[in-house]
Amino acid sequence: MQSTLVGLSITGSFQRDTNILFSDISFELKQGCWTCLLGPSGVGKSTLLRLLAGLSTGGQFDGQIRTNPEFIATDTDVNQGANNIANVISYMAQTDLLFPWLDVRQNIMLGQRLRHENNTAHYSKKTVDRLIDQVGLGAHEYKRPHQLSGGMRQRVALARTLMEDQPIVLLDEPFSALDARTRDDMQSLAFDVLKDKTVLLVTHDPTEAVRLAHHLFVMTHDGIHSHQTPPNLPPRSVEHPKTLTAQATLLRVLKS
Amino acid sequence: MTSDTPVSKQKINVRDLAVSVLIILIGWQLVVWVTEVPRYILPGPLAVAEALFKYSDLLAMHAWVTAIEVVVGLIFGTLLGMATAMYLTMSATATRYMMPILVISQTVPVFALAPILTLWFGYGLGSKIAMTILIIYFPVASSFLDGLRATPKGFLDLAQSMRATKFNTLIRVRLPAALPSLSSGIRLATVYAPIGAIIGEWVGASQGLGYLMLLANGRVKIDLMFAALVTLCIFTLLLRAVTNALCNRLDHWAGQSH
């Protein structure tokens, strides 16, 4: 059953130089659901996501970002500062961002490497084994990124995101650079492995949004508006008439 | 050999090299025979080869000294350059105050400092090593710094979202990503380093190939001078081969060449 708890919410305005990217938006992610934010390129979707991820945006945000306080309490390094958003999110970008000098296993364990967490090595090893299995990279765990195809690389990136084991996952068009078939596989895989998380997927692809969203928002230059999703639960079949109708409606909204 | 490989990274084909060297040697010998240049102006390759054998012990002894100066200078200059680049990457304040000095310091002809270095560090190895360090420090520091600053932004975002500290980001993200830049800096330094040592020896020394060349020149033993020059060339080529192999391994590890 879908939760009504709020995992993450943001209210406020954002401007870069004198250019107001969005003003007085109010937008929330329901806990344990996939929320898709659909919009054309250049409308500020990625900036919004970077803001939520606590990354530099080169602009001025005036407002509030709140996460479910329970998330903070379960986090291990509370002393890092409870209001640090990086403590509860993991982030996956459009490019896989695999480090070329690390193999698949080491790339998946990147977070541990970067935080110097060697004391949990045994636990980590077992988790990595499980994740490699989950994303279907069993035969490739000691390969370097350049030996992998685009789809496989994005699987490694997904496993690395899961390895962080954070309650909130922010996805910045992670499937847009893949070919159609690989994208379809990756969407199903990601939906499956991230089903307990509070997910925000930023995308410019109506098909992707309709396929995966529990909750759907459309971002245009006028702001962010909630949008109806088909009544059945995601992941929806691409060729289902209701999916296709919803997709057509969304395209119209994007064009207007 | 493809034309898009940078000249500094081009591999030398030994057979092609042998052919062109042979052609040059034959041409050189012919010029000497035809024009009958006196031996104290331009000795022919045969005379130089003769000197190489005749003075082989002497040449080896002086080459050894120069080799130590170059290799030690290269190692310390590289380490110093790396440390500077990493420090400048970490501290914005340091960059603000040190960068102008660094850039301006490059307008000082380093060779002009050789007499001062000899005064400070004496006639021994010290002043030559100092000269070598000075000459390679900037190329290494600047190319490594460029590399450290050019870390893909996505890598840094990812590191930040994973709560990596600034220091860990430097060591585990920026540094490995900058290794290819470092290795091109080292390749450049390898070419410069012998120049530093030789200049140092010219200004004041009691051993080394540069010293031997001046000595031979003074005594009109031009064949010995050329023999020292050839020895220096061979040493530089060997050094280049070794650093190239090391740098290639570095690039390979960093995932730059496959």
Side-chain angles (χ1 to χ4, degrees), chain A residues 50 77 87 113 115-116, chain B residues 153 157 162-163 172:
Chain A
R50 291 181 66 87
D77 27 8
N87 284 342
R113 279 180 97 78
R115 289 186 298 269
H116 254 307
Chain B
K153 197 166 178 306
D157 287 342
M162 288 175 164
R163 290 163 290 150
R172 292 172 183 238

Side-chain angles (χ1 to χ4, degrees), chain A residues 6 9 34 45 47 53 56-57 69 72-73 83 88 103 141 144 149 164-166 172 177 203-204 215 218 225 235 245:
Chain A
V6 175
S9 70
W34 276 63
K45 306 186 296 290
T47 306
S56 65
T57 50
I72 309 288
N83 49 8
V88 290
D103 67 20
E141 52 182 325
R144 293 278 202 97
S149 69
E164 288 298 285
D165 198 22
Q166 300 284 22
D172 190 3
T203 179
H204 58 241
H215 304 283
V218 177
H225 302 286
T245 319

Side-chain angles (χ1 to χ4, degrees), chain B residues 1-13 16 240:
Chain B
M1 195 173 285
T2 50
S3 54
D4 54 355
T5 329
V7 177
S8 63
K9 284 191 187 177
Q10 262 179 24
K11 275 191 118 166
I12 293 171
N13 181 323
D16 295 354
R240 188 185 133 133

Side-chain angles (χ1 to χ4, degrees), chain A residues 157-176:
Chain A
L158 182 63
R160 181 187 59 201
T161 310
L162 285 168
M163 187 69 199
E164 288 298 285
D165 198 22
Q166 300 284 22
I168 302 173
V169 177
L170 304 177
L171 305 174
D172 190 3
E173 307 191 14
F175 315 124
S176 59

Side-chain angles (χ1 to χ4, degrees), chain A residues 50 53-56 75 77 80 84 86-87 89 91 97-101 110-111 113-116 144 146 160 164 166, chain B residues 152-165 168-169 172-174 176-178 252-258:
Chain A
R50 291 181 66 87
L55 299 173
S56 65
D75 195 82
D77 27 8
Q80 271 244 345
N84 186 352
N87 284 342
I89 62 108
Y91 160 75
L97 300 176
L98 300 185
F99 287 14
W101 57 90
L110 185 69
R113 279 180 97 78
L114 292 183
R115 289 186 298 269
H116 254 307
R144 293 278 202 97
H146 69 86
R160 181 187 59 201
E164 288 298 285
Q166 300 284 22
Chain B
K153 197 166 178 306
F155 285 3
L156 299 177
D157 287 342
L158 191 63
Q160 195 189 338
S161 82
M162 288 175 164
R163 290 163 290 150
T165 59
N168 268 334
T169 306
R172 292 172 183 238
V173 184
R174 285 184 187 271
H252 181 81
W253 183 83
Q256 208 61 20
S257 63
H258 315 126

